[in-house]
Amino acid sequence: MTTIPPATELTNLYINGSYVAPKSGQTYTLYNPSDASIVSEQIPIAGQEDVDAAVAAAEEAFHGEWSKFSSAQRSACLRKLAQLLDEEDRLIKILTLDSLSTGNPVSIIPTREKTYIMGQLLYYAGWTDKLRGDYFPDDDGFVKLVRHEPLGVCAGINPFNAPVATLIMKAAPCLATGNTLILKPSEQSPLGSLAIAPLFEAAGFPKGVFQVLTGAGDTGALLASHMRIRKISFTGSVATGKKIQIAAAQSNLKRVTLELGGKSPAVVFEDANIENALTWTINGILARSGQVCVAASRVYVQRSIADKFIEEYKTRMKAAVEKIGDPLDTATALGPLVNKAAFERVTKMIERGKNEAELVVGGVRHTEQGYFIEPTVFLNPKKDAEIYKNEIFGPVAIVKTFETEEEVLKLANDTEFGLMSGVFTKDINRALRISSRLESGVALRAFTEPKTVLIK
């Protein structure tokens, strides 16, 4: 099946190569955050029997036909999947389905999401035959050969903000290394994940290698505690990540990879290219309306350029209001928050923030229809201000000035959410020096603690 169905037809789970009704018999309603209209009233909820069926199919595939695939065959499947997604605008149609329920503007699909997804698939297609082992000499009379083997049945639990991109980010390395994957998308964004599932078989992956189960936290808990799942990867909140870690430990000690919250600092030094710094710090907080874990929510500006930078930052954040609108309109760059609960949480944090910092831009609802919040800027927060210390997950930035490198390092590192950071300077030595001392890093699907340094 390579035709992308409409939202109203995605009413079943995807297990063992087929769309099947949930054995639980339960469904829920999905809403559009732009106007609170109904997107679908029949999104399936996977219960224990459904999870067990998916795990059984994944195990059968892992020990059966899939185990006989060579690295070249696995690579060919990933490349074929990329080809199918690229043909007939399938990927764009799939991503647009999720815009109906997340509020993500379709304007980002061709320029950002599609490029990222295709790059991930092709990158991991090139890794299938490069999983080298190791050799240790026979000092004790035995030659030791180390080889890397797949774990078996894996599960992925994804966030609402970039559902298909995160799906591919988990699926590509998982399948490239010979595992099978059961994917649970966020209950807020299940459509794209359900729509893409049949394309895996069309690309040559055997039935059961990739499956999709929808539902809320209860479904995720069933995966995290399942005794036959060997690895689980979760992207989402810290609170949920802790629950998954506990469930994994209390079940079969399955391996766990977590990508959780962020309160990412962007440090702008006096010698920085101001235009470049403004562009990326603003893009970094307005992308997906600030609903990304790597949002540039704390901006530190060296005092000597602070007045100039902050004034232009405020001007551009105010101007961004003109880009708010219907996410399905290609002229829109800023959509709503994902649902009523998110809107109310962010609104309340902004209200409390008015007593903790100086509100200089936004902080108000945009239109009475939908869950839109105008871009918001606070200055000079109190040391322990909630908006300064905690993840907001909305288009809200806090700007603070600093004098020295040592001062800004202490400020930037004073967080429990060290996911990503940025440094803006023309001095390459400073860029490398500061980035090495910032306590943040990108550690996705890895067993070490890598740090990614981007120089622009």
Side-chain angles (χ1 to χ4, degrees), residues 106-410:
V106 296
S107 60
I108 70 174
I109 291 175
T111 56
R112 299 183 195 176
E113 289 205 275
K114 182 178 179 181
T115 301
Y116 177 85
I117 289 168
M118 300 301 284
Q120 287 276 306
L121 286 171
L122 296 176
Y123 175 82
Y124 284 105
W127 264 104
T128 60
D129 62 351
K130 299 175 180 65
L131 304 172
R132 295 176 297 179
D134 209 340
Y135 163 85
F136 293 90
D138 60 346
D139 293 349
D140 58 356
F142 296 91
V143 171
K144 280 78 69 179
L145 299 177
V146 179
R147 66 184 178 210
H148 295 283
E149 298 180 348
L151 295 171
V153 180
C154 301
I157 301 178
N158 281 351
F160 71 82
N161 51 5
V164 176
T166 313
L167 180 158
I168 296 298
M169 183 180 73
K170 296 182 193 296
C174 180
L175 304 187
T177 49
N179 298 283
T180 58
L181 180 65
I182 300 169
L183 194 286
K184 192 201 87 65
S186 164
E187 63 270 29
Q188 189 61 44
S189 54
L191 298 176
S193 302
L194 287 170
I196 200 175
L199 293 177
F200 282 79
E201 277 82 45
F205 292 98
K207 293 180 180 180
V209 169
F210 179 80
Q211 302 171 91
V212 177
L213 302 179
T214 53
D218 289 346
T219 303
L222 293 173
L223 293 169
S225 60
H226 202 286
M227 294 296 293
R228 303 300 298 169
I229 292 175
R230 302 306 181 192
K231 164 79 184 274
I232 189 161
S233 172
F234 170 74
T235 304
S237 71
V238 172
T240 303
K242 289 179 178 180
K243 292 178 181 178
I244 288 173
Q245 185 101 20
I246 291 170
Q250 290 178 339
S251 54
N252 60 342
L253 288 171
K254 60 177 62 65
R255 300 189 189 194
V256 179
T257 296
L258 303 174
E259 184 199 2
L260 307 177
K263 193 68 177 175
S264 302
V267 182
V268 183
F269 285 98
E270 60 188 358
D271 66 334
N273 180 322
I274 299 298
E275 180 64 28
N276 183 57
L278 284 164
T279 296
W280 285 100
T281 53
I282 290 172
N283 287 348
I285 192 62
L286 296 186
R288 303 180 196 275
S289 299
Q291 299 174 114
V292 287
C293 52
V294 297
S297 53
R298 291 184 295 150
V299 181
Y300 295 102
V301 188
Q302 200 154 24
R303 196 175 304 280
S304 58
I305 61 165
D307 290 345
K308 178 182 179 181
F309 180 93
I310 292 172
E311 195 57 38
E312 185 61 24
Y313 187 89
K314 287 161 52 180
T315 298
R316 297 191 188 192
M317 289 287 275
K318 289 177 183 177
V321 172
E322 299 175 5
K323 301 176 182 179
I324 298 176
D326 178 3
L328 299 183
D329 185 340
T330 55
T332 295
L334 205 59
L337 297 189
V338 69
N339 55 29
K340 183 179 180 181
F343 175 82
E344 291 179 346
R345 180 181 55 79
V346 173
T347 298
K348 289 176 182 177
M349 289 187 75
I350 290 173
E351 286 303 308
R352 292 192 293 271
K354 293 176 182 178
N355 298 317
E356 302 175 322
E358 179 186 355
L359 177 66
V360 293
V361 175
V364 297
R365 182 173 193 162
H366 185 78
T367 75
E368 289 303 313
Q369 182 175 327
Y371 305 124
F372 297 89
I373 290 181
E374 293 189 1
T376 300
V377 180
F378 284 97
L379 300 180
N380 307 313
K382 294 179 181 178
K383 181 179 180 180
D384 294 319
E386 179 189 31
I387 57 169
Y388 181 52
K389 301 293 286 187
N390 295 340
E391 187 175 35
I392 300 173
F393 232 59
V396 183
I398 292 83
V399 182
K400 187 175 176 63
T401 59
F402 70 93
E403 292 279 5
T404 67
E405 289 185 10
E406 290 301 320
E407 179 189 5
V408 76
L409 282 167
K410 288 180 181 179

Side-chain angles (χ1 to χ4, degrees), residues 11 27 45 87 128 156 175 216 223 309 320 370 378 400 411 417 443 453:
T11 58
T27 61
I45 297 175
E87 291 173 351
T128 60
L175 304 187
L223 293 169
F309 180 93
F378 284 97
K400 187 175 176 63
L411 292 170
F417 304 99
V453 180

